[in-house]
């Protein structure tokens, strides 16, 4: 299994500012992902964070709004730029792990963001 | 990515079995069926997965239809701690490891 921590756990931000969310894993992993969960909704994949190369974004998400860094195999950051109230969500990171022949994803606890 | 359809919500009495259905009529031969659940204020956690045969683990059982167009997650004895949103997800074993979440089923367990 993999243990994932995220910082901050929650934040309240002003419109127009940016917030960087950190994701730390207790072991080296190849695949890391960032999700958004809007209030009362399911999870939506934002991007795959690739180590040593640019992130791969899903449709509807762009690098200018959600820049992602992946400097090594245990750490990634997601920045929410030029925030508006519509960005108020929970942001979660996850990692892929193959244990005993089973492919699973482990999720962090999430970062709850409120934009005023 | 093939899509899944689940009921929005279900209720169960404590200590009774719960059957959570999932339809995936466009499933391909290389899609694994994964189930995750999200407890309140937590990230999703793995429950079980399978390809063709029924599967059992300490948390639940997974029954897969013979044509693989539907599956059912079975909690044998629901407890209050099983109250969560349950997601059925298809993952192509030949593709990337990313997950596309559907709407999920919110399970309410009554004491």
């Amino acid at each position: 299994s993999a243990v994932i921590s995220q910082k901050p756990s929650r934040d309240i931000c002003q419109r127009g500012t940016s917030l960087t969310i950190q994701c730390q894993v207790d072991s080296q992993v190849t695949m890391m992902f960032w999700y958004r969960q809007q209030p009362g909704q399911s999870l939506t994949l934002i991007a795959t964070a690739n180590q040593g190369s640019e992130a791969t974004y899903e449709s509807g998400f762009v690098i200018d709004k959600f820049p992602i860094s992946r400097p090594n195999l245990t750490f990634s950051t997601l920045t929410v730029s030029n925030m508006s109230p519509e960005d108020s969500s929970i942001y979660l990171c996850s990692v892929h792990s193959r244990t005993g022949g089973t492919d699973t994803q482990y999720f962090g606890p999430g970062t709850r963001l409120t934009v005023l | 990515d093939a899509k899944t359809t689940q009921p929005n919500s279900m209720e169960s009495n404590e200590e009774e079995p719960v059957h959570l259905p999932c339809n995936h009529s466009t499933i391909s031969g290389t899609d694994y069926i994964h189930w995750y659940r999200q407890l309140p204020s937590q990230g999703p956690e793995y429950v079980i997965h399978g390809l063709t045969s029924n599967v059992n683990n300490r948390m639940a059982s997974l029954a897969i239809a013979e044509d693989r167009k539907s599956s059912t997650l079975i909690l044998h004895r629901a407890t209050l701690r099983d109250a969560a949103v349950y997601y059925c997800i298809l993952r192509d074993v030949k593709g990337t490891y990313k997950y596309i979440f559907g709407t999920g089923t919110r399970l309410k367990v009554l004491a």
Side-chain angles (χ1 to χ4, degrees), chain B residues 63-79:
Chain B
I64 301 173
E66 194 169 336
D67 63 7
R68 300 208 328 122
K69 293 185 176 181
S70 65
S71 61
T72 302
L73 178 70
I74 303 166
L75 306 179
H76 295 285
R77 289 183 65 213
T79 71

Side-chain angles (χ1 to χ4, degrees), chain A residues 62-82:
Chain A
V62 295
I63 188 172
D64 289 347
K65 176 66 175 178
F66 297 101
I68 289 171
S69 78
R70 180 87 192 272
N72 56 50
L73 294 176
T74 64
F75 186 79
S76 178
T77 67
L78 169 75
T79 299
V80 186
S81 302
N82 188 24

Side-chain angles (χ1 to χ4, degrees), chain A residues 41-61:
Chain A
Q41 302 295 314
S42 179
L43 284 77
T44 301
L45 181 64
I46 297 172
T48 303
N50 302 308
Q51 197 269 329
S53 64
E54 205 167 271
T56 305
Y57 290 85
E58 297 298 308
S59 176
F61 297 95

Side-chain angles (χ1 to χ4, degrees), chain A residues 37 42 58 96 102-103 105, chain B residues 34 36 38 49 97-98 102:
Chain A
Q37 187 169 28
S42 179
E58 297 298 308
H96 166 262
T102 298
D103 288 306
Q105 278 198 21
Chain B
H34 287 247
Y36 280 72
Q38 187 173 23
H49 81 286
Y97 293 103
K98 66 181 184 182

